[in-house]
Amino acid sequence: MHRVIDRPIAASPAETFTCAVPAKGEPYLLTPGPLTTALSTKEAMLRDWGSWDGDFRAMTAQLRAGLLEIAGDTAGDYDCVPLQGSGSYCVEAMLGSLIPRDGHALVLANGAYGKRIATTLGYLGRTATVLDKGDYLPPRGAEVERLLAADSSITHVVAVHCETSSGILNPIEEIAAATAKQGRKLLIDSMSAFGAVPLDVRQIPCEAFVSSANKCIEGVPGFGFVIARKSALQEAKGRSHSLALDVYDQWDVMNRTGQWRFTPPTHTVAAFIEALRLHKLEGGQAGRLARYANNRDVLVAGMGKLGFEPLLNARWRSPIIVTFFAPAHPSFRFERFYESMKQQGFIIYPGKLTVADSFRIGCIGQVDEHVMRAVVRACASSLREMGVPGAEPPAAALEERKALADAD
Ligand SMILES: *Cc1c(COP(=O)(O)O)cnc(C)c1O
């Protein structure tokens, strides 16, 4: 009856981590969430839970503790506040609850998610200054420090950990150090990074960060979570413009009752408990990073043999998702490529760049190097179908990359 909650998040000696194979006819999702999940994660959803029942409250407590453990909060300075909705709901909740109405945010943007943060702050009526680095340049610690030193009215820095629109892994340690040195507060959108890329609050001083169920922990969509300093949560009382997105209120009610305010995504939480167990079984954040990084390396090497070039040079390339330039050959059509890849069992992701034509392949979810090799073979076959002999990008696209090399 209580299979899920009675099973501790710990590896039994006999069990080892292996990636799931999707059911027949179900494609691999090579996308940055929703992503391919384990069969046992899906199976965990095959029963119903009462939202205020003790069993479900225990699952909520287990989920919060498991996430704080991954965040390295051994001192008990932080707390975890899960919130219904997709990741963007949690970003908005964090911004509206943790930045005072008379606060001023410096947003470090280099893609769609950084821009969404700026847009959200506009809706919330918070003053924002945006450092826009374009599509493929990282915001650096030194420039953050300069901007903060020049404007003492800035209270918060908002950074994106892995900017999923290009796959760039922003130098969050550098940004955190610069923000701390200037005595400001750091808020991080670690949506697509947390759980695989290190984000340990003992090493990266931050006021709060957010992530969601369906990224590197490999759960199914339905909620996100804010991990924040307890002092920040306390100060957030009465600040939010929105009842549903009030992180303080969700925290306060959850601490007093063990329950979510409003209907919780019960099945998603059950799946997440199993996903957390598998995360630990794989060796936690370090184990997951090793698999994702290997996925990326196998993918980039294989695609390189076909002529595909990644947008980013190796230094900034995340283990989360890789952007490839679209081939220059006139017979290449992304729509055909996409359909052909789908026929072969792989859902890839269109590009999200403003300048160059591109597409993306995710390295996260229940996929390993064998899957990545199969992806490369499928790409080769799709190119043959279209009559594209080589996948080399246009020369102009490669010119773009030079700017990135200059930034190193
Ligand atoms: C996935 C993601 C989000 C949230 O997107 P939703 O579609 O709202 O779940 C936010 N930021 C980043 C960097 C992401 O990768």
Side-chain angles (χ1 to χ4, degrees):
M1 244 339 234
H2 297 151
R3 192 184 130 254
V4 174
I5 58 165
D6 286 348
R7 218 151 68 170
I9 304 179
S12 74
E15 199 181 358
T16 53
F17 182 88
T18 45
C19 278
V21 177
K24 219 175 160 51
E26 189 184 329
Y28 279 104
L29 300 181
L30 299 167
T31 56
L35 36 66
T36 298
T37 58
L39 182 61
S40 61
T41 298
K42 288 183 266 243
E43 281 172 348
M45 294 186 281
L46 293 176
R47 60 157 284 190
D48 304 311
W49 286 267
S51 62
W52 50 262
D53 183 72
D55 289 351
F56 185 70
R57 279 184 285 149
M59 287 156 70
T60 299
Q62 194 178 353
L63 171 160
R64 296 173 70 193
L67 290 170
L68 286 168
E69 190 183 326
I70 299 170
D73 176 46
T74 45
D77 294 335
Y78 289 76
D79 212 343
C80 172
V81 188
L83 192 76
Q84 297 92 329
S86 85
S88 301
Y89 290 65
C90 287
V91 173
E92 184 161 336
M94 172 178 75
L95 297 174
S97 300
L98 268 54
I99 301 176
R101 294 189 185 205
D102 60 353
H104 178 177
L106 171 64
V107 180
L108 310 179
N110 54 349
Y113 292 103
K115 287 194 182 125
R116 188 179 296 173
I117 287 168
T119 305
T120 306
L121 288 167
Y123 271 76
L124 298 179
R126 299 294 193 276
T127 306
T129 298
V130 180
L131 172 67
D132 188 351
K133 301 288 293 185
D135 277 340
Y136 45 80
L137 292 178
R140 303 302 304 262
E143 61 190 325
V144 171
E145 206 177 322
R146 264 198 311 279
L147 287 166
L148 294 178
D151 190 344
S152 62
S153 75
I154 295 171
T155 53
H156 291 72
V157 173
V158 190
V160 181
H161 196 175
C162 172
E163 177 48 82
T164 322
S165 43
S166 67
I168 193 167
L169 189 59
N170 285 320
I172 203 71
E173 295 83 1
E174 227 176 77
I175 293 164
T179 306
K181 197 167 162 205
Q182 289 292 323
R184 318 300 164 89
K185 291 169 173 167
L186 178 63
L187 304 176
I188 307 171
D189 171 355
S190 188
M191 206 70 68
S192 62
F194 179 69
V197 181
L199 204 184
D200 187 311
V201 293
R202 290 164 297 192
Q203 268 126 46
I204 298 175
C206 63
E207 195 73 349
F209 71 85
V210 282
S211 184
S212 70
N214 58 280
K215 305 259 176 160
C216 296
I217 308 288
E218 301 184 351
V220 303
F223 72 90
F225 46 90
V226 180
I227 291 186
R229 280 191 206 279
K230 287 175 181 166
S231 57
L233 291 167
Q234 209 65 58
E235 286 164 18
K237 185 175 182 177
R239 192 184 276 154
S240 178
H241 60 292
S242 156
L243 172 66
L245 299 180
D246 186 343
V247 178
Y248 170 82
D249 202 43
Q250 179 89 337
W251 179 58
D252 182 50
V253 170
M254 215 171 249
N255 280 355
R256 285 189 288 107
T257 68
Q259 294 172 35
W260 302 53
R261 298 173 310 160
F262 323 138
T263 302
T266 47
H267 297 74
T268 300
V269 169
F272 196 76
I273 299 286
E274 172 61 8
L276 275 176
R277 194 186 71 84
L278 295 176
H279 184 267
K280 190 155 198 164
L281 185 65
E282 191 175 10
Q285 171 266 315
R288 196 138 289 183
L289 177 63
R291 174 163 58 89
Y292 290 174
N294 188 45
N295 285 349
R296 172 200 58 199
D297 295 344
V298 167
L299 175 71
V300 170
M303 294 293 275
K305 289 198 181 122
L306 305 178
F308 284 106
E309 288 283 345
L311 167 81
L312 300 172
N313 65 23
R315 170 154 185 206
W316 303 108
R317 217 179 281 149
S318 71
I320 306 301
I321 187 164
V322 182
T323 300
F324 293 97
F325 289 118
H329 196 279
S331 301
F332 182 85
R333 292 279 177 282
F334 179 74
E335 297 69 29
R336 269 193 75 186
F337 185 62
Y338 180 91
E339 278 308 321
S340 163
M341 290 298 288
K342 184 175 174 183
Q343 290 301 316
Q344 298 176 82
F346 302 105
I347 300 286
I348 61 169
Y349 216 46
K352 215 176 193 176
L353 302 183
T354 44
V355 196
D357 259 357
S358 63
F359 65 92
R360 294 176 287 171
I361 295 184
C363 306
I364 67 178
Q366 290 271 304
V367 293
D368 60 13
E369 61 181 295
H370 303 291
V371 176
M372 291 333 234
R373 287 203 189 88
V375 171
V376 172
R377 286 195 299 273
C379 284
S381 144
S382 301
L383 290 179
R384 272 196 303 277
E385 254 174 53
M386 283 187 284
V388 175
E392 288 74 14
L398 293 176
E399 280 297 310
E400 284 203 25
R401 260 202 330 210
K402 287 219 180 97
L404 185 60
D406 293 344
D408 285 354

